[in-house]
């Protein structure tokens, strides 16, 4: 099993479950799935994932960009944004957060795998990289 706990933040549960299955087939551990920004903030603080796959449009009052800002200030994990939005102003706001990347839905599995590998290799090369496999077990 490859290291790295991944938190999936996606408000469409069918899409989220599909992403989870793809990630598990690739050998990754999915720490949790959440559908709204506030829960994403709470779960990220609790689970401390290596990587967060974040949708921009979420249920509730906090969108993916706002949730990512809060999470990044507290924990500084890597982000990959998954979105169907192509609005340049919104994508500029995403870019300012310096994610590993942004993938347009529907996405190609190999593109997702490559971005995840990039994010997790940056975690492993960092002296602050931690093994979060224990925290992933909390959500199961």
């Amino acid at each position: 099993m490859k290291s790295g706990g991944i938190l999936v933040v996606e408000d469409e549960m069918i899409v989220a479950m599909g992403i989870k299955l793809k990630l598990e087939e690739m050998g990754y551990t999915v720490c949790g799935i959440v559908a709204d920004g506030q829960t994403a903030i709470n779960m990220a603080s609790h689970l401390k994932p290596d990587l967060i796959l974040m949708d921009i449009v979420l249920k509730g009052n906090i969108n993916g960009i706002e949730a990512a800002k809060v999470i990044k200030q507290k924990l500084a994990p890597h982000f990959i944004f998954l979105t169907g939005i192509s609005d340049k102003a919104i994508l500029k706001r995403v870019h300012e957060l310096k994610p590993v990347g942004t993938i347009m839905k529907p996405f190609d599995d190999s593109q997702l795998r490559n971005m995840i590998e990039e994010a997790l290799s940056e975690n492993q090369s960092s002296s602050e990289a931690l093994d979060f496999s224990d925290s992933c077990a909390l959500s199961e």
Side-chain angles (χ1 to χ4, degrees):
M1 170 97 35
K2 296 175 184 172
S3 65
I6 301 173
L7 178 62
V8 177
V9 184
E10 167 64 59
D11 64 340
E12 297 293 332
M13 197 47 61
I14 292 173
V15 174
M17 291 305 295
I19 292 169
K20 179 182 188 286
L21 289 174
K22 286 180 185 188
L23 292 172
E24 289 174 344
E25 286 172 5
M26 291 178 192
Y28 296 107
T29 300
V30 176
C31 292
I33 297 174
V34 298
D36 66 88
Q38 186 60 56
T39 304
I41 293 166
N42 295 341
M43 290 297 286
S45 295
H46 179 69
L47 297 174
K48 296 176 180 55
D50 293 325
L51 176 66
I52 299 174
L53 299 182
M54 178 76 74
D55 190 10
I56 293 174
V57 177
L58 299 172
K59 294 179 181 175
N61 297 328
I62 301 174
N63 68 32
I65 298 169
E66 294 164 350
K69 282 181 186 176
V70 172
I71 294 167
K72 192 167 183 115
Q73 289 173 349
K74 292 181 178 183
L75 304 171
H78 290 290
F79 284 90
I80 296 173
F81 283 90
L82 304 174
T83 186
I85 294 176
S86 59
D87 180 271
K88 289 182 182 184
I90 292 173
L91 293 177
K92 182 180 179 199
R93 290 179 55 211
V94 168
H95 181 72
E96 290 169 357
L97 292 171
K98 299 185 184 347
V100 172
T102 302
I103 301 177
M104 298 302 289
K105 293 178 188 175
F107 58 87
D108 178 73
D109 292 354
S110 62
Q111 183 183 22
L112 179 62
R113 180 191 306 265
N114 290 340
M115 282 194 191
I116 291 171
E117 290 294 328
E118 180 183 335
L120 295 179
S121 68
E122 287 177 19
N123 274 353
Q124 289 175 354
S125 65
S126 168
S127 62
E128 296 179 18
L130 300 173
D131 178 8
F132 293 115
S133 58
D134 291 341
S135 65
C136 291
L138 295 173
S139 66
E140 299 179 331

